[in-house]
Amino acid sequence: MKKTGVALLGLGTVGGGTYRILQQNRELIKKAHGLDIEVIKILDRDYNKSDALNVDRAKVTFDIDDIISDPSIGIVAEAIGGINPAKSFLIKALEAGKSVVTANKELCAKCWDELNAAAKKGKAGFYFEASCVGGVPIIRTLMDGMQANNILEMKGIVNGTTNYILSAMTQCGTEYSDALKEAQKLGYAEANPTADVDGFDASYKISILSTLAFHKHVPLEKVYREGISSISVEDINYGKELGMTLKLLAIAKNNGGKIEARVHPAFVDNAHPLATVSGSFNAVHLLGDMVGDIMLYGRGAGDLPTGSAIVSDIVYAANKGGAKYNYNNGTFKDSDFAGDFTCKYYIRMNVSDKSGTLGKIATVFGKNKVSLQSVLQKDVKDGFAPIVFTTHETGEKNMQKALAAVKELDSVIDVAAVIRIE
Ligand code: HSE
């Protein structure tokens, strides 16, 4: 039986989950895949974590060079997170010819070129299934299941924290700040929630996934990003009246060679399968030109789900050896990116309740080539009223121009919310 020596970097939630799976399912992997995977060393400074998992202390090291210099270790699996020191550890491992498996989306998204160069130099495999959508095999699906397709579009709920918060706002009417506190109390959100609620985590993931889907590097700086912190229950409730559910979406499209990648809150029609994905669950909808629609659903975070993706990559790396995937297909040029994108819009504004107001607003939208689809007005109070418009499909730049002109109208008190509809 083939023996595979593995080192784990980091024994926190994800590293601990990976270790447990490798112990618990070692026999299964032997039988099903003909591989005997042994954890040879673990890099972690905290003996409490390794003791809690009954790891022999002789396996624990504080020094990455103990791992790099050990010829019995062929695969290094990283679950430290962040850029430093993970980046230097992984580059060392790759250049030394060890396959690397990582869950680190920030590192993959920000240091893509350096990691690929190191893998090429060391003729080593570089695998990162666990970096996107946790336990859901999205990368395997893109790379090994959709080779016959031009991938036209990808839309996903790729961040469980924000999906938990938006679900609480939708289902219980909890306002954003209370829903965030609840998510923090339950361990879904970090004490500093910025990476999740401001859309950074989702933007790392869509940069990685769109690069794989479109076969050239889509750098992070080309991903448009907006988070959920200004979303109110009022807008979610208006959306419900209009048959829509609010989600933080990561979207990537290839429109006839023009690439777009973006992360922002968006209303989706209740009939769309993404509308039903609630709580901390993730899901991704893919559209291939041959296969049509594919939908993947599951846990995007957590010890065992993310560990499951890491172990899958370890098995994959052990079977394939060196770099299986060629990630070095160059980078899209600036001119390959769509300068604008189109979608429908939801717009809520507060206006004076005077005759002619609606007409003036509609005229300004019309002059700016924005076609209105529906208007909802109620709860007139003290002479002014909230109005909700939805539009037909229009360009983002066009919409921003139209909104600037609408804000100039005397009868418009403010534009309180603008949310895209996908
Ligand atoms: N913080 C992420 C989420 C999990 O909330 O989905 C790991 O990317």
Side-chain angles (χ1 to χ4, degrees), residues 105 131 158-162 188 196 201 205 282 300-301:
K105 66 231 73 166
S131 69
V158 299
N159 182 270
T161 305
T162 46
Y188 290 125
D196 292 314
D201 176 80
K205 292 168 182 166
N282 284 196

Side-chain angles (χ1 to χ4, degrees), residues 349-361:
M349 53 182 90
N350 292 304
V351 303
S352 313
D353 189 29
K354 288 192 296 216
S355 59
T357 296
L358 214 50
K360 282 182 201 154
I361 296 170

Side-chain angles (χ1 to χ4, degrees), residues 78 81-84 86-88 90-91 102-117 126 128 131-132 194-196 199-209 211 217-223 225 331:
E78 184 258 331
I83 303 295
N84 291 311
K87 178 180 165 184
S88 63
L90 295 197
I91 286 180
T102 180
N104 194 329
K105 66 231 73 166
E106 183 180 6
L107 184 62
C108 289
K110 289 184 177 168
C111 306
W112 181 263
D113 290 332
E114 289 158 277
L115 291 164
N116 277 299
F126 176 46
F128 40 89
S131 69
C132 296
T194 307
D196 292 314
F200 290 101
D201 176 80
S203 67
Y204 302 149
K205 292 168 182 166
I206 203 68
S207 164
I208 297 167
L209 294 176
T211 296
H217 188 201
V218 176
L220 195 54
E221 56 273 19
K222 291 293 182 190
V223 180
R225 179 187 53 78
T331 297

Side-chain angles (χ1 to χ4, degrees), residues 161 165 176-177 180-197:
T161 305
I165 293 171
Y176 170 77
S177 54
L180 170 59
K181 278 185 207 137
E182 194 182 300
Q184 284 168 323
K185 213 162 77 190
L186 293 170
Y188 290 125
E190 307 278 345
N192 177 355
T194 307
D196 292 314
V197 299

